[in-house]
Amino acid sequence: MRAIAISAFGADPELIEVPEPEPRPGELLVRLRAASYNPVDTKIASGAMKDRMSPRFPLIMGQDGAGVVAAVGAEVTGFRPGDEVYGRFTDPARGLGAYAEYGVVAEDGPVARMPKGMLPEQAAAVPTATGTARDLVGAARLDAGQTVLIVGATGGVGQQAIQLAALRGAHVIATAAPGAEDLVRDLGAEESVDHTRGPVHEQVRGIRPGGIDAVFDLVTPAGSTGPMEELLRPGGVICSVVHALDPEALAARERRGVNVVNHVTGEVLADLADLIDAGRLRVRLVARVPIERAPGALAEWATWHARGKAVIAIGA
Ligand SMILES: NC(=O)c1ccc[n+]([C@@H]2O[C@H](COP(=O)([O-])OP(=O)(O)OC[C@H]3O[C@@H](n4cnc5c(N)ncnc54)[C@H](OP(=O)(O)O)[C@@H]3O)[C@@H](O)[C@H]2O)c1
């Protein structure tokens, strides 16, 4: 099968031929129709996370995908060949990932039936970004009427976080560079601040001098979150997806800090599919390339100003 893989950490992604994986007991073999790009895909390929994994090379890149169950391993009871599914198809120890014509996933792992109204390309864009946004809202225990600032709101995770926070009844302030204000408002933000114009915390302090209840920070690195933390009222919560926070130091100042690591399960994906089917949650695709063009596109996506999700179309 064709796949986009790296031969070693730091090597350029290449289109290569590799054997189709065999589903093990309890696993689904899925003919993938699309995969989506997440920044972690290129971080892994660069070797930035090599201390946390022992992959087999060539390592197929990617996590999120959607397609059709082609075969099931022994003991699988919940899915059948022909089922349309979406989820995360990654097993680095076997060299497997989602940028490939076939992927495997455990039936009790991060896989669920595709949202009914979606194309595989749209469904493939959901798991990591939307699952992480859901985890942010959950970790913050966001309530109706609370005000949340989302830093990095225009990207893959941010757009989903705006929608899920607004669905909770929260008042969302979103960062948006010039030209992206309408985008974040259309997704449910009630106010926006332009992070290219000056420090975000100063702008938010200007419109909310009494402080805010929550910050979802998708961008600020460790060592630089202090000004965002200062925006919180006592009892407020800040969540980082880039492990930037010191929760103990925050607790000492009567604030909560949560370094969120996404936990995307089949149940989570089934819940998200229900929300999508009900028309309450959408995903915005801004780039699509066929698998042959993925290596070049990945270099671009790793450094672009994301305004939604990028997907790789695989096969017919
Ligand atoms: N912990 C986890 O489980 C987890 C899960 C998913 C993602 N992540 C991480 O979360 C981060 C975001 O992921 P993503 O998929 O949303 O990335 P993305 O799609 O690339 O979006 C990033 C967004 O942030 C904006 N941005 C960049 N610098 C900014 C700043 N200083 N202030 C405000 N906005 C800024 C970008 O727009 P402009 O460039 O135009 O400003 C872009 O819209 C990545 O580092 C990713 O690896 C972690």
Side-chain angles (χ1 to χ4, degrees):
M1 67 171 182
R2 294 180 308 159
I4 303 295
I6 51 166
S7 57
F9 286 127
D12 287 336
E14 291 176 304
L15 181 66
I16 62 169
E17 278 288 331
V18 288
E20 260 172 45
E22 293 276 334
R24 292 177 176 170
E27 282 185 345
L28 318 179
L29 176 72
V30 176
R31 172 80 169 95
L32 293 168
R33 295 294 182 202
S36 77
Y37 170 69
N38 290 289
V40 72
D41 300 345
T42 39
K43 288 184 195 175
I44 288 173
S46 74
M49 301 165 85
K50 67 179 171 195
D51 294 344
R52 286 182 251 169
M53 56 196 301
S54 307
R56 209 200 70 190
F57 292 103
L59 172 63
I60 300 173
M61 293 176 66
Q63 313 198 31
D64 293 355
V68 179
V69 176
V72 296
E75 296 156 26
V76 168
T77 55
F79 294 89
R80 286 192 302 208
D83 287 346
E84 290 194 307
V85 295
Y86 80 128
R88 293 168 106 176
F89 303 86
T90 174
D91 187 348
R94 285 152 82 189
L96 299 176
Y99 297 176
E101 288 177 322
Y102 289 89
V104 294
V105 61
E107 88 160 318
D108 60 0
V111 64
R113 288 187 171 68
M114 248 176 55
K116 293 181 192 70
M118 273 191 161
L119 299 169
E121 288 170 20
Q122 297 168 306
V126 171
T128 296
T130 314
T132 304
R134 184 182 189 272
D135 288 334
L136 283 163
V137 171
R141 301 181 209 131
L142 207 58
D143 269 336
Q146 290 189 323
T147 297
V148 58
L149 165 68
I150 303 180
V151 183
T154 40
V157 176
Q159 293 193 12
Q160 306 312 93
I162 294 175
Q163 295 178 73
L164 293 176
L167 274 178
R168 277 275 171 113
H171 179 104
V172 177
I173 305 173
T175 56
E181 302 89 347
D182 289 349
L183 163 63
V184 297
R185 281 171 192 267
D186 184 50
L187 292 168
E190 287 174 64
E191 293 174 88
S192 61
V193 290
D194 176 0
H195 56 284
T196 67
R197 207 187 67 192
V200 167
H201 65 277
E202 286 177 11
Q203 297 180 58
V204 174
R205 179 70 71 196
I207 55 176
R208 284 293 185 290
I212 58 176
D213 303 293
V215 176
F216 295 169
D217 198 325
L218 317 178
V219 172
T220 311
S224 303
T225 55
M228 300 300 177
E229 296 169 9
E230 292 307 316
L231 290 172
L232 295 174
R233 295 184 184 122
V237 58
I238 177 167
C239 301
S240 165
V241 292
V242 293
H243 211 88
L245 303 173
D246 180 344
E248 283 181 18
L250 278 152
R253 287 157 41 219
E254 291 175 44
R255 273 89 177 153
R256 209 154 57 82
V258 189
N259 289 307
V260 169
V261 177
N262 70 74
H263 186 59
V264 181
T265 63
E267 292 76 33
V268 166
L269 292 171
D271 282 354
L272 294 177
D274 287 344
L275 275 181
I276 292 165
D277 286 339
R280 303 179 76 198
L281 179 67
R282 56 205 151 104
V283 61
R284 184 167 192 262
L285 302 191
V286 287
R288 172 192 186 277
V289 298
I291 192 167
E292 299 80 14
R293 286 190 28 222
L298 287 167
E300 180 195 329
W301 298 339
T303 56
W304 70 344
H305 297 284
R307 294 289 176 268
K309 296 294 292 178
V311 295
I312 299 168
I314 306 168

